């Protein structure tokens, strides 16, 4: 089995929809909606997780894959934790996956931290969050930590890679940079296929989720705050059912030229905030990760101890 654990905003959707779900390809995903994986491996309270039941549930998938000569695959970026909550349960999920499938192979795709943080902040707003970027990056009362919040430790990727290597074995964990895939998908896909003992080239195209304009996300935050009650925003004045999602759907219908100047100004401001806040903060982690996975991450813009200047 291959288990793809994320990270968020690192080509997960492309891999899931085009590589793993290719009906004539090397992989066989489980039937049904993808969020069922979250219900089975993430949602159960720690003392309620039933590893035996989870294993039994996916036994038919293993049998079908063996009959068809394909690789069973479980893929969900939530397996690496949820960035706005600091990945507080990432090791809990790793342990659960290992208890169920100790012989699995693990795929981890990372993305340069500052770009990932900005992209995930936009996703947080799309998911229902109402905090501005500065407050999102600075959870209140961090010395108490009563509710999980953003943590830069989540983005020190070497820790999770080391955890999976300790559980499954170093030879069963493949960690790749998103930037290599974005630059040239073919070599990355071939590495994934070779990792599971396959050679056939997959029919994957280079796509990504559409990016919402910064000005639209500014408006979305207000909708989330005042008209929606969800996990990420509790202070609504009036709850209007699915209005948050209906409003979000308008994003694709707006002409980006209308707000281009405002968007550029907002994006420059947010980029400057993130670059200043995390100047050099991930250099040590990225240097360790480069050694672990055999990639010079500095060539893709990652901070490392040898190259960090900001």
């Amino acid at each position: 089995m291959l288990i793809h654990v994320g990270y968020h905003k690192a080509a997960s959707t492309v891999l899931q929809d085009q590589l793993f779900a290719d009906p004539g390809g090397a992989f066989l995903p489980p039937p049904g909606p993808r969020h069922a994986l979250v219900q089975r491996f993430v949602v159960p309270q720690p003392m309620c997780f039933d590893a035996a039941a989870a294993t039994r549930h996916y036994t038919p998938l293993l049998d079908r894959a063996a009959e068809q000569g394909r690789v069973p695959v479980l893929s969900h970026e939530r397996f690496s934790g949820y960035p706005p909550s600091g990945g507080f349960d990432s090791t809990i999920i790793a342990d659960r996956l290992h208890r169920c499938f100790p012989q699995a192979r693990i795929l981890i795709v990372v993305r340069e931290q500052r770009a990932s943080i900005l992209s995930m902040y936009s996703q947080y707003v799309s998911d229902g969050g109402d905090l501005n970027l500065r407050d999102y990056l600075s959870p209140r009362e961090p010395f108490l930590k009563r509710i999980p919040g953003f943590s830069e430790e989540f983005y020190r990727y070497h820790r999770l890679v080391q955890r999976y290597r300790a559980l499954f074995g170093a030879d069963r964990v493949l960690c790749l940079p998103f930037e290599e895939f974005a630059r040239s998908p073919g070599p990355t896909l071939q590495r994934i296929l070779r990792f599971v003992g396959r050679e056939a080239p997959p029919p994957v195209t280079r796509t990504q989720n559409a990016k919402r304009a910064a000005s639209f996300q500014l408006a979305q935050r207000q909708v989330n705050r005042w008209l929606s009650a969800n996990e990420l925003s509790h202070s609504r004045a009036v709850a209007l059912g699915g209005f948050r999602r209906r409003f979000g759907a308008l994003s694709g219908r707006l002409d980006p030229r209308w707000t281009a100047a405002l968007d550029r100004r907002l994006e420059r401001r947010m980029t400057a905030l993130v670059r200043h806040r995390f100047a050099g903060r991930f250099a040590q982690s990225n240097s360790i990760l480069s050694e672990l996975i055999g990639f010079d991450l500095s060539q893709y813009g990652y901070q490392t101890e040898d190259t960090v200047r900001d």
Side-chain angles (χ1 to χ4, degrees):
M1 174 179 283
L2 179 69
I3 303 178
H4 168 230
V5 304
Y7 279 79
H8 289 74
K9 317 309 294 182
S12 294
T13 301
V14 175
L15 293 174
Q16 290 159 354
D17 291 349
Q18 300 187 44
L19 177 62
F20 300 145
D22 177 14
F27 296 96
L28 183 66
R34 195 173 298 137
H35 66 76
L37 293 168
V38 175
Q39 296 297 312
R40 197 161 298 278
F41 292 102
V42 178
V43 171
Q45 197 270 348
M47 290 181 288
C48 299
F49 178 67
D50 188 338
T55 304
R56 286 194 303 272
H57 179 81
Y58 291 101
T59 298
L61 172 68
L62 300 177
D63 293 340
R64 287 196 305 274
E67 292 171 0
Q68 299 176 22
R70 301 169 73 185
V71 179
V73 58
L74 305 182
S75 174
H76 206 294
E77 56 271 34
R78 183 62 180 85
F79 286 164
S80 62
Y82 186 56
S85 58
F88 74 95
D89 54 0
S90 58
T91 58
I92 295 174
I93 298 166
D95 292 344
R96 291 177 176 182
L97 294 172
H98 181 254
R99 287 170 61 189
C100 295
F101 310 107
Q103 300 303 313
R105 292 180 178 270
I106 305 299
L107 173 63
I108 304 173
V109 182
V110 299
R111 182 175 180 179
E112 193 277 321
Q113 285 92 345
R114 293 163 297 180
S116 182
I117 288 168
L118 285 168
S119 183
M120 191 61 221
Y121 171 69
S122 181
Q123 183 63 53
Y124 154 82
V125 174
S126 297
D127 290 345
D130 64 355
L131 296 176
N132 63 42
L133 178 58
R134 191 177 299 276
D135 290 341
Y136 169 81
L137 297 175
S138 303
R140 296 178 181 177
E141 300 183 309
F143 50 89
L144 293 175
K145 202 71 173 182
R146 289 175 291 200
I147 298 176
F150 176 89
S151 171
E152 67 182 62
E153 290 298 335
F154 175 84
Y155 291 94
R156 292 190 169 95
Y157 302 130
H158 78 280
R159 301 188 192 282
L160 192 65
V161 172
Q162 288 175 330
R163 179 65 176 177
Y164 274 99
R165 286 165 67 111
L167 288 171
F168 291 87
D171 62 331
R172 290 183 172 272
V173 178
L174 177 64
C175 179
L176 300 171
F178 161 81
E179 292 77 10
E180 184 192 59
F181 176 81
R183 181 182 299 178
S184 181
T188 299
L189 297 170
Q190 289 298 337
R191 287 172 69 91
I192 295 172
L193 286 165
R194 286 196 297 271
F195 181 58
V196 296
R198 299 294 189 275
E199 292 292 341
V204 176
T205 58
R206 183 175 170 181
T207 62
Q208 62 181 11
N209 292 329
K211 180 182 178 181
R212 286 185 174 183
S215 57
F216 185 88
Q217 293 301 72
L218 180 63
Q220 180 76 68
R221 283 201 297 112
Q222 303 312 310
V223 170
N224 296 345
R225 172 168 296 180
W226 301 111
L227 303 175
S228 174
N230 61 83
E231 277 189 298
L232 303 177
S233 178
H234 304 284
S235 59
R236 83 319 186 201
V238 179
L240 296 180
F243 180 73
R244 171 176 63 87
R245 291 187 175 85
R246 292 196 298 273
F247 181 82
L250 295 175
S251 174
R253 304 178 187 177
L254 301 179
D255 189 331
R257 294 174 295 182
W258 297 344
T259 59
L262 176 59
D263 292 333
R264 287 193 296 270
R265 187 163 70 250
L266 291 172
E267 288 171 2
R268 283 196 301 267
R269 185 183 302 170
M270 291 190 293
T271 299
L273 172 60
V274 169
R275 292 186 69 85
H276 176 75
R277 171 73 175 267
F278 300 107
R281 300 291 292 176
F282 303 113
Q284 183 180 35
S285 174
N286 290 338
S287 294
I288 296 172
L289 183 61
S290 289
E291 290 291 326
L292 284 174
I293 68 176
F295 265 96
D296 177 12
L297 293 173
S298 66
Q299 66 178 305
Y300 298 116
Y302 289 67
Q303 303 168 352
T304 64
E305 291 178 307
D306 294 334
T307 63
V308 66
R309 298 184 184 87
D310 54 275

